[in-house]
Amino acid sequence: MAWSLPVMLVLLIFVRGLMGLFYAAIPVVSAAWLADRFPPDERGAAMAKLGAANAVGMVLGPLLAGVLAVRQLSLPMYLATILPLSACLLLWIKVPATAVQQQDEKPALTCTDPRIRLPAITMFLAACTIIAAQMCVGFYAMDRLALNAHDGARVAGQTMAGVGVTLIVTQLLVARLHRVPQLRMIALGALLAAAGFAPLLLTSTTPGLLASYSIAAAGLGMLIPSAQVLAANAVGTHEQGLAAGTLAAAQGMASVVSPLTFTLLYQWHWRAPFLLACSAMILLSVLSFGRLAKRRSASVRGP
């Protein structure tokens, strides 16, 4: 019995929502578990490796889905079912039951807590910037590079593949730079991301698009693990889950706000989304450098 198109659409929306409901716990629990298992001076490397693994999935997932869809459209769906089940089995085997500990102290962390305010802002702005880049790359390729739909999709795919590879390499490098303070990493990463998006306001070539997105991805790759470590190091052991959940909520808020905002901005003027992304990254860099300066002043004055 063949289902009608409206029924299929409703079913796909329901399944997608169900996936999001359960997936939302994965980054939260993963970050909290790493924060519990690693000391503060090693958390940066662990978080960066987690981010690199996520970036690998961003590259390999669409590639495998595309290859399988050529053979049969339903094969990517089967793969999307097998992979989470395999992950559950791996966790069941590798993660001991003693890894889950009951906390006697009730955490009282809120989203307005000054200890995690800057990391939450970082995650929100970084997620907004990433979503803007993903949404606008196809339109940019067709409007600014004067490509047809087929060639525009090809260039957009190549660009996002370059972004994924850059994220992998950058976060593996961040894992080796664990001695660099997280605030400085955020400030420099935000500047690098802004420097990557800025040429898009002027360039109209495919190499320029690829280079700009890759540079911006390098900066964004510095932001996310640094924000996670900054939040984890700022709170107590019993608050790690709430801290990770707050950052995940900031990312989720960005995924709600950004699509409509950047779509409307692009309709108004094609430069507007990239200009807003540059401004957000510059603002984040200023906030981070300001926080870093306050910490240095406090350390100089002493207790």
Side-chain angles (χ1 to χ4, degrees):
M1 176 180 176
W3 290 343
S4 64
L5 184 60
V7 172
M8 289 292 296
L9 179 60
V10 171
L11 183 60
L12 287 173
I13 293 174
F14 173 75
V15 172
R16 189 69 180 90
L18 199 62
M19 289 169 58
L21 177 66
F22 285 96
Y23 176 78
I26 296 175
V28 175
V29 176
S30 299
W33 191 63
L34 288 177
D36 288 338
R37 287 180 59 86
F38 290 91
D41 59 339
E42 296 180 9
R43 284 175 185 161
M47 297 291 188
K49 290 176 181 177
L50 180 64
N54 185 52
V56 170
M58 289 175 57
V59 176
L60 292 183
L63 178 62
L64 288 174
V67 171
L68 292 175
V70 172
R71 302 179 64 88
Q72 188 175 343
L73 288 176
S74 60
L75 288 180
M77 301 295 183
Y78 292 122
L79 179 65
T81 302
I82 294 171
L83 289 178
L85 293 176
S86 302
C88 288
L89 180 61
L90 186 63
L91 287 172
W92 184 273
I93 296 173
K94 292 294 184 180
V95 179
T98 54
V100 181
Q101 301 176 357
Q102 184 69 29
Q103 298 289 350
D104 296 327
E105 187 176 355
K106 185 178 180 179
L109 189 68
T110 64
C111 59
T112 58
D113 194 303
R115 294 175 296 172
I116 62 168
R117 190 179 299 155
L118 182 60
I121 292 173
T122 300
M123 294 297 282
F124 176 76
L125 293 180
C128 285
T129 304
I130 291 171
I131 293 170
Q134 291 174 334
M135 291 184 58
C136 296
V137 62
F139 298 122
Y140 186 93
M142 290 186 289
D143 295 340
R144 292 293 296 163
L145 305 183
L147 300 175
N148 58 38
H150 181 270
D151 291 336
R154 175 179 54 81
V155 170
Q158 292 173 349
T159 302
M160 295 312 298
V163 166
V165 172
T166 303
L167 285 173
I168 296 170
V169 174
T170 301
Q171 294 186 90
L172 290 177
L173 289 176
V174 170
R176 295 180 175 272
L177 299 175
H178 57 275
R179 296 184 182 274
V180 180
Q182 278 75 43
L183 275 174
R184 184 178 300 171
M185 190 76 74
I186 291 173
L188 295 177
L191 276 182
L192 185 60
F197 284 117
L200 292 173
L201 303 174
L202 303 172
T203 186
S204 58
T205 65
T206 300
L209 174 64
L210 294 172
S212 294
Y213 262 66
S214 296
I215 294 171
L220 293 169
M222 297 167 63
L223 293 181
I224 296 175
S226 300
Q228 291 174 324
V229 176
L230 189 63
N233 291 345
V235 301
T237 302
H238 63 289
E239 298 172 312
Q240 294 296 333
L242 281 177
T246 301
L247 299 193
Q251 287 181 296
M253 186 181 300
S255 67
V256 174
V257 173
S258 297
L260 180 60
T261 301
F262 285 104
T263 299
L264 292 176
L265 284 174
Y266 191 90
Q267 289 180 345
W268 176 59
H269 197 287
W270 68 267
R271 284 192 175 96
F274 302 109
L275 187 60
L276 180 58
C278 286
S279 301
M281 291 296 100
I282 292 173
L283 174 63
L284 178 58
S285 182
V286 170
L287 291 175
S288 302
F289 275 127
R291 179 72 66 85
L292 192 59
K294 287 182 180 180
R295 286 191 178 183
R296 286 179 177 175
S297 300
S299 63
V300 169
R301 289 196 303 266

